[in-house]
């Protein structure tokens, strides 16, 4: 199966800070796109990858692009407010209609993620290059395929509970940080017909998206979030499937 992926990035830190540009010379979107392109059949899927960024017209997320997108990945941080509401609504409608969404790291505060969650999505944070261990708490889940008992990120920004999101339908990773906090760092949701995965790692001043285990999870997550064949569904006023016995209907007597 070929999955069409659009990797979206705010793409500001990389252009404004040398330190970030050195870590992500092709942008964070470039690193994520590479992680998907290096798929070797490990997820049973191949990825057709395009990228889109904030400063493109319509943020690169036109109706045509979204109509061709099976899964959208989202990285944003400093410019959430600059994302046009009209584009957010367009993305939301596509998710409800079956497009997968992977919200990464500081995308917890993106307009699209908070709209889909309906909560503040606030959390505790600290930037101190500390160790993070993402413990796999649902080892049979496809997003954890090929991962060891835990993934260790040597230098991470801390995100701590409480993370104000709805209870995940499935929690795949639970993080521990050197400073003592814990965090639900791999959360699965369904919204309408779309699958949504929040994945915590990915701060712009650490090389997290170059780490092989994290890249594996990105591939797994995109494969998981892609729309399947699905069942057909109908809504609205409906004729009965079986004839209804109206003899016992008191309203007609
Ligand atoms: Zn960060």
């Amino acid at each position: 199966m070929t999955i069409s992926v659009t990797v979206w990035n705010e793409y500001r830190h990389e252009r404004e800070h040398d330190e970030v540009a050195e870590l992500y010379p092709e942008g964070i979107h470039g690193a994520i796109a590479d992680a998907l392109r290096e798929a070797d059949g490990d997820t049973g899927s191949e990825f057709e990858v395009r990228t889109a960024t904030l400063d493109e017209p319509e943020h690169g997320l036109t109706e045509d692009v979204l109509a061709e997108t099976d899964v959208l990945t989202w990285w944003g941080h400093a410019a959430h407010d600059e994302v046009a509401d009209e584009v957010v609504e367009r993305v939301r409608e596509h998710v409800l209609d079956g497009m997968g969404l992977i919200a990464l790291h500081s995308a917890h505060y993106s307009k699209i993620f908070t709209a889909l969650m309906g909560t503040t999505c606030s959390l505790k944070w600290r930037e101190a290059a500390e160790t993070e261990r993402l413990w796999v708490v649902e080892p049979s889940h496809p997003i954890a395929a090929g991962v060891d008992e835990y993934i260790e990120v040597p230098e991470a920004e801390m995100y701590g509970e409480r993370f104000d999101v709805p209870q995940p339908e499935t929690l795949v990773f639970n993080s521990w940080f050197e400073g003592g906090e814990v965090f639900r760092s791999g959360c699965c949701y369904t919204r309408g017909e779309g699958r949504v995965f929040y994945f915590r790692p990915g701060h712009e001043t650490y090389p997290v998206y170059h780490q092989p285990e994290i890249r594996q999870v990105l591939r797994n997550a995109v494969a998981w979030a892609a729309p399947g064949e699905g069942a057909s569904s109908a809504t609205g006023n409906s004729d009965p499937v079986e004839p209804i016995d109206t003899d016992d209907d008191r309203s007609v007597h």
Side-chain angles (χ1 to χ4, degrees):
M1 179 179 168
T2 300
I3 298 171
S4 173
V5 193
T6 301
V7 175
W8 192 88
N9 181 18
E10 182 178 286
Y11 195 33
R12 290 282 177 83
H13 295 305
E14 302 95 318
R15 292 187 290 149
E16 290 166 6
H17 302 284
D18 293 346
E19 186 194 7
V20 183
E22 260 171 52
L23 274 178
Y24 295 107
E26 308 299 323
I28 286 174
H29 54 298
I32 293 168
D34 276 353
L36 299 176
R37 289 187 182 118
E38 74 189 14
D40 56 2
D42 47 357
T43 65
S45 299
E46 305 211 329
F47 305 107
E48 202 173 86
V49 187
R50 80 174 92 204
T51 62
T53 56
L54 178 65
D55 292 327
E56 294 171 38
E58 300 184 59
H59 315 318
L61 300 174
T62 61
E63 178 55 39
D64 285 350
V65 166
L66 292 176
E68 289 171 11
T69 299
D70 295 317
V71 182
L72 174 66
T73 73
W74 194 281
W75 197 99
H77 179 222
H80 294 314
D81 287 351
E82 292 180 46
V83 178
D85 290 340
E86 186 190 327
V87 174
V88 175
E89 180 54 24
R90 190 184 296 158
V91 171
R92 194 184 74 94
E93 281 169 15
H94 276 271
V95 171
L96 297 181
D97 212 32
M99 182 181 75
L101 178 75
I102 312 297
L104 296 164
H105 187 61
S106 39
H108 71 96
Y109 264 157
S110 62
K111 286 183 181 177
I112 182 59
F113 187 66
T114 55
L116 288 166
M117 294 298 106
T119 54
T120 68
C121 302
S122 59
L123 47 79
K124 192 182 277 184
W125 63 277
R126 173 174 63 238
E127 208 177 329
E130 60 201 280
T131 303
E132 173 183 11
R133 248 176 238 134
L134 293 104
W135 290 90
V136 176
V137 293
E138 211 56 71
S140 66
H141 197 280
I143 293 180
V147 175
D148 287 336
E149 192 180 11
Y150 61 82
I151 298 171
E152 190 163 304
V153 177
E155 290 189 330
E157 178 187 20
M158 186 282 293
Y159 277 7
E161 299 283 351
R162 185 173 185 260
F163 183 22
D164 182 29
V165 285
Q167 189 73 9
E169 291 161 26
T170 307
L171 181 68
V172 182
F173 299 104
N174 210 4
S175 281
W176 165 93
F177 292 87
E178 197 177 340
E181 289 85 356
V182 294
F183 190 78
R184 289 167 290 168
S185 52
C187 306
C188 298
Y189 299 94
T190 313
R191 289 293 181 270
E193 294 184 23
R195 291 179 172 185
V196 177
F197 184 60
Y198 174 78
F199 189 46
R200 197 212 79 84
H203 188 64
E204 69 274 9
T205 59
Y206 304 124
V208 181
Y209 293 131
H210 297 302
Q211 194 173 330
E213 304 95 309
I214 299 296
R215 291 163 81 91
Q216 177 72 60
V217 172
L218 293 173
R219 291 192 290 277
N220 292 347
V222 168
W224 169 83
E229 291 301 305
S232 61
S233 61
T235 56
N237 190 293
S238 300
D239 289 331
V241 176
E242 302 283 349
I244 297 170
D245 176 6
T246 51
D247 290 347
D248 57 355
D249 185 348
R250 284 163 205 233
S251 65
V252 298
H253 293 294

